[in-house]
Structures are given as C-alpha cells and as structure tokens.
Amino acid sequence: MILELDHIFKDYIQGKMTIPVLKDVTLHVEEGEYVAVMGPSGSGKTTLMNLIGCLDTPTSGSIRLAGEDLLHRNDREMSRIRNRSIGFVFQSFNLLPRQSALDNVALPLLYAGVPRKERRERAAAALTRVGLEERMHFRPTQLSGGQKQRVAIARAIVTGPALLLADEPTGALDTASGLQVMELFQRLNEEGMTVIMITHDPEIAAHAGRTVLIRDGVLSSPRREEALS
C-alpha cells in the first residue's frame, strides 16, 4: 500500500467558527494504481490533495505515504518527504520562465543535493521519456501549453517518486493537448508509476483505473459516480 489515509478530518478556523472541510475520509491506494479523485468545486478535493502532498496536516486521523507516518513531522521533514516521494503536476505548470526546460526539470534534483552533471543527465532522460528530447533548451515561452505540461510532468518524475500527484492537469489545455497529456499519464502508469489525479471532469476521471468521489468533504462509493457526473 503506497498511501493510507484513515479517518481523516480537516477543519479550518475562521474567527470563532470551525469550518469542517473533510469528514472521516479513508482512502487506500496500492502501488501501481491510477486513481482519480473527482468532485465539484468546493467538495474538499483540493484540501485532500494538499494532505496527500504533504502541504498540509489533518485535524485528526492518520496518513502514511510509502510506509512513512506523516503526522507530527516538522517542516523540514515534510519538505524532504515531498522532494523524495511525491511528484507534483499542476494545472498552471509552475515553470520558471527564464530557465530552459532542462533546468526546470533539474530543479528538484538541485534541492535534493544531486551533483550538477547527474542532474542534467537525469533531467535529459526525463524529458526524453515525455517526448521532448528536441526541446530541452527551449524556455517555457517557446513551448505550447501541451509541451509545458509535459515539461512539468518530466520535472515531477525526475526524482523517481513513489507517487505522481496531478491537480487538474488538463485544465489549461485545449482538447488535443489534453488527450496527449492523458495518454502520457496512462503510459507512465503502465510503466509502474502510481498516479492520483484530482479532477472535476468525468471524462478525465474515466482515464483512471479507479474513481473516488468526493462531495461536501465526504468520500462516496463508486456506485454514486453517475450522480456526480
């Protein structure tokens, strides 16, 4: 089991009010799975993604990622786990505009203390893996939206993470580019990568091997998929 969330509650405090966002969420993901977490805006899926990605901590409950207990960790330890175990892909790409594709992909390895020669070799291999071997020295402004997202995916996988976490990865793309990106996620999963994708779109969720539904902070049975779509 690569991810174990058990009885997760997440509340936010606004003034004197307590706002419950996640309510008794339990989610287990096996190594090599491709899971879509689908729900409408305001359902709690972004909060759930932040917990899975070690960007936030629950009010109560337990989280284990790649065998590590994520509770009661300090910021430095959480940063180490994020860098080593999780690859992030965001809707807005989050690329450095003045850096080449190669340098953008190598950035997580810089943070991990990998020597420069090895960083560049591994970044080049990751870009080749996503079909951008001829665009390594292009800056983001010289790339299409689909190419930018492929650079972001290469950056996410360059450290060899246990989990690839994607948040609405086709939201800023046209239909054709979105399909190409989804095909890439499918191929990475077939090669053994565990993928969790956050989406509101049933067509995107349909690419996953399993769909988990969330509404009002509660995970629902797959039998309710039609009701949410």
Side-chain angles (χ1 to χ4, degrees), residues 12-212:
Y12 290 106
I13 305 299
Q14 294 184 355
K16 296 182 179 181
M17 296 180 59
T18 298
I19 309 298
V21 179
L22 296 179
K23 308 164 187 175
D24 200 14
V25 167
T26 292
L27 174 65
H28 293 175
V29 178
E30 295 184 6
E31 185 174 359
E33 267 200 285
Y34 186 172
V35 178
V37 178
M38 190 177 77
S41 178
S43 62
K45 62 182 186 296
T46 298
T47 298
L48 181 60
M49 183 202 74
N50 289 340
L51 294 179
I52 295 171
C54 301
L55 298 169
D56 200 355
T57 56
T59 302
S60 63
S62 65
I63 305 178
R64 295 182 66 85
L65 176 66
E68 291 195 67
D69 186 349
L70 300 187
L71 298 188
H72 312 301
R73 300 277 184 165
N74 61 37
D75 290 344
R76 183 175 181 179
E77 290 172 329
M78 292 290 267
S79 294
R80 175 186 60 82
I81 293 170
R82 284 196 301 271
N83 182 267
R84 186 186 67 187
S85 299
I86 306 170
F88 292 92
V89 180
F90 299 101
Q91 176 177 330
S92 57
F93 318 132
N94 290 1
L95 301 177
L96 298 177
R98 297 184 179 181
Q99 300 296 319
S100 68
L102 187 69
D103 288 335
N104 268 282
V105 174
L107 195 59
L109 300 175
L110 174 64
Y111 294 149
V114 176
R116 184 176 186 274
K117 183 175 185 294
E118 182 181 347
R119 289 201 306 268
R120 295 182 71 83
E121 289 173 350
R122 289 172 62 178
L127 284 165
T128 299
R129 193 175 177 186
V130 300
L132 289 179
E133 59 270 25
E134 297 182 357
R135 297 288 189 272
M136 291 186 188
H137 301 292
F138 284 45
R139 294 182 179 181
T141 54
Q142 299 171 299
L143 301 173
S144 68
Q147 290 170 338
K148 290 177 187 178
Q149 194 59 291
R150 282 191 279 163
V151 172
I153 293 170
R155 180 185 57 194
I157 65 176
V158 73
T159 59
L163 174 65
L164 185 59
L165 183 58
D167 182 21
E168 303 281 6
T170 64
L173 303 179
D174 60 54
T175 301
S177 296
L179 287 174
Q180 291 176 351
V181 166
M182 295 311 300
E183 289 171 359
L184 177 54
F185 278 113
Q186 185 69 49
R187 177 161 59 81
L188 291 170
N189 177 248
E190 290 170 354
E191 293 172 359
M193 180 76 68
T194 305
V195 180
I196 297 180
M197 184 169 299
I198 310 297
T199 184
H200 70 280
D201 188 340
E203 292 185 7
I204 296 300
H207 290 268
R210 174 163 66 107
T211 299
V212 177

